[in-house]
């Protein structure tokens, strides 16, 4: 892993892995690896399952509705998320978004917006997953919400670069997240702390959307903006539910995320 890119994560993991070398699994129930990926971590040695092919099915949306990462692929996903390939894949997506953004003829009327998701799009939760395991256990809302309330999410560097470019072009930013209204203050503070310092609107999930699919929630919120005269120039997220549905915008971009699936 490039330690200069995620300095806080590097420090966090250094402490954790030092501790686990002294007390087995004290902090990480599912020991994955040291700070960088090791050879033989690509899933080819798992009988009956290619983890690389599994991840491809996830990213191409051929595999839908899945609840957990296959147990045999936890090491693979851990290596991928903390290693160079995840960063390279994120760069590839953002580079396309940057090329698109640079090609735009911005009207400058204040009505052009770019929609950004938050978790695993603008803020990375890798310290949480490094502690709790890489997706083989069912989603635990309690522990994840406790992590969110700590306000220690890290900026995904590639997305921060896109954010800065979009702002420089005069396009306004809208954050549209599945986080709840109770997490507004900590989310806003976390975003500002890591470099996402300004936005037109921060939209969090209200109680009226409880139990409803993310696609419906995000479609409705985007529709509201367009009804009020805004034009969605771009839309980026880590989940297909971020970029499917209605009022998705002129261009959509999907960041990699084999950790969880949101419908």
């Amino acid at each position: 892993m490039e330690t200069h890119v995620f300095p806080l994560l590097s420090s966090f993991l250094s402490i954790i892995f030092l501790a686990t070398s002294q007390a087995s699994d004290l902090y990480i129930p599912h020991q994955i690896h040291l700070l960088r990926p090791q050879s033989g971590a690509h899933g080819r040695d798992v009988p009956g399952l290619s983890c690389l092919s599994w991840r491809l099915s996830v990213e191409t949306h051929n595999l839908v509705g899945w609840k957990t990462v296959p147990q045999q692929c936890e090491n693979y996903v851990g290596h991928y998320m903390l290693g160079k390939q995840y960063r390279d894949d994120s760069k590839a997506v953002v580079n396309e978004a940057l090329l698109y953004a640079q090609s735009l003829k911005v009207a400058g009327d204040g009505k052009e917006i770019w929609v950004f998701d938050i978790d695993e799009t603008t803020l990375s939760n890798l310290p949480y997953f490094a502690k709790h395991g890489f997706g083989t256990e069912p989603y635990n809302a309690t522990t994840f919400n406790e992590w969110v309330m700590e306000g220690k999410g890290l900026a995904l560097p590639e997305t921060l670069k896109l954010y800065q470019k979009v702002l420089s072009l005069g396009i306004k930013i809208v954050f549209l997240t599945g986080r709840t209204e109770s997490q507004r203050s900590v989310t806003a503070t976390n975003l500002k702390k890591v470099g996402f310092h300004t936005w037109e609107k921060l939209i969090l999930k209200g109680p009226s959307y409880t139990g409803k699919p993310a696609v419906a929630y995000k479609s409705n919120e985007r529709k509201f903006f367009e009804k009020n005269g805004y034009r969605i120039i771009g839309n980026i997220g880590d989940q297909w539910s971020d970029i499917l549905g209605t009022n998705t915008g002129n261009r959509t971009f999907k960041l990699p995320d084999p950790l969880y699936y949101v419908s």
Side-chain angles (χ1 to χ4, degrees):
M1 185 180 71
E2 298 173 328
T3 55
H4 64 284
V5 176
F6 279 141
L8 294 177
L9 178 57
S10 297
S11 300
F12 179 89
L13 292 178
S14 297
I15 294 171
I16 284 179
F17 285 109
L18 177 61
T20 55
S21 68
Q22 298 172 347
S24 176
D25 294 339
L26 179 61
Y27 292 101
I28 304 181
H30 307 284
Q31 181 81 28
I32 302 298
H33 50 76
L34 298 177
L35 290 181
R36 61 185 59 150
Q38 302 167 353
S39 60
H42 302 291
R44 289 190 294 268
D45 56 347
V46 178
L49 178 64
S50 166
C51 295
L52 180 59
S53 297
W54 175 83
R55 182 169 64 85
L56 175 64
S57 295
V58 166
E59 297 300 353
T60 54
H61 210 219
N62 290 319
L63 181 61
V64 300
W66 55 278
K67 301 297 183 184
T68 60
V69 173
Q71 187 173 7
Q72 305 98 309
C73 295
E74 182 177 20
N75 282 356
Y76 170 82
V77 171
H79 281 260
Y80 171 75
M81 292 301 298
L82 294 178
K84 184 174 182 291
Q85 193 60 54
Y86 171 62
R87 292 294 313 287
D88 285 348
D89 290 348
S90 298
K91 287 177 185 176
V93 175
V94 169
N95 284 345
E96 288 301 313
L98 287 169
L99 287 172
Y100 165 67
Q102 291 163 359
S103 73
L104 293 171
K105 295 181 179 179
V106 180
D109 60 359
K111 289 295 186 178
E112 292 161 317
I113 62 174
W114 194 299
V115 178
F116 286 77
D117 174 53
I118 291 184
D119 292 301
E120 274 54 71
T121 298
T122 49
L123 295 179
S124 170
N125 299 300
L126 278 177
Y128 170 84
F129 291 105
K131 181 177 180 179
H132 292 277
F134 287 88
T136 58
E137 298 294 330
Y139 171 71
N140 188 313
T142 299
T143 58
F144 186 77
N145 288 335
E146 288 172 352
W147 155 256
V148 168
M149 295 306 292
E150 291 180 20
K152 295 180 179 178
L154 309 177
L156 186 66
E158 287 70 35
T159 312
L160 182 57
K161 183 178 179 180
L162 175 62
Y163 165 88
Q164 292 167 340
K165 181 62 179 180
V166 168
L167 278 180
S168 74
L169 293 172
I171 301 170
K172 294 186 175 181
I173 305 296
V174 170
F175 289 114
L176 177 55
T177 175
R179 293 186 178 193
T180 63
E181 278 291 341
S182 63
Q183 297 167 331
R184 176 175 293 278
S185 178
V186 70
T187 299
T189 300
N190 196 166
L191 286 168
K192 291 178 180 179
K193 182 173 67 175
V194 299
F196 299 97
H197 52 80
T198 187
W199 50 80
E200 179 72 2
K201 188 77 171 178
L202 170 59
I203 305 172
L204 296 98
K205 197 171 185 179
S208 63
Y209 289 112
T210 300
K212 294 183 179 179
V215 170
Y217 155 58
K218 295 201 169 186
S219 293
N220 285 343
E221 293 297 331
R222 292 191 300 259
K223 184 177 181 180
F224 174 81
F225 266 91
E226 294 197 332
K227 277 188 172 182
N228 283 274
Y230 288 90
R231 301 183 299 281
I232 300 174
I233 300 298
N235 181 6
I236 187 168
D238 67 296
Q239 297 290 320
W240 282 96
S241 54
D242 297 329
I243 59 176
L244 293 178
T246 65
N247 307 84
T248 56
N250 292 356
R251 280 289 302 272
T252 61
F253 299 91
K254 167 72 170 63
L255 287 164
D257 184 1
L259 291 168
Y260 52 84
Y261 179 87
V262 179
S263 61

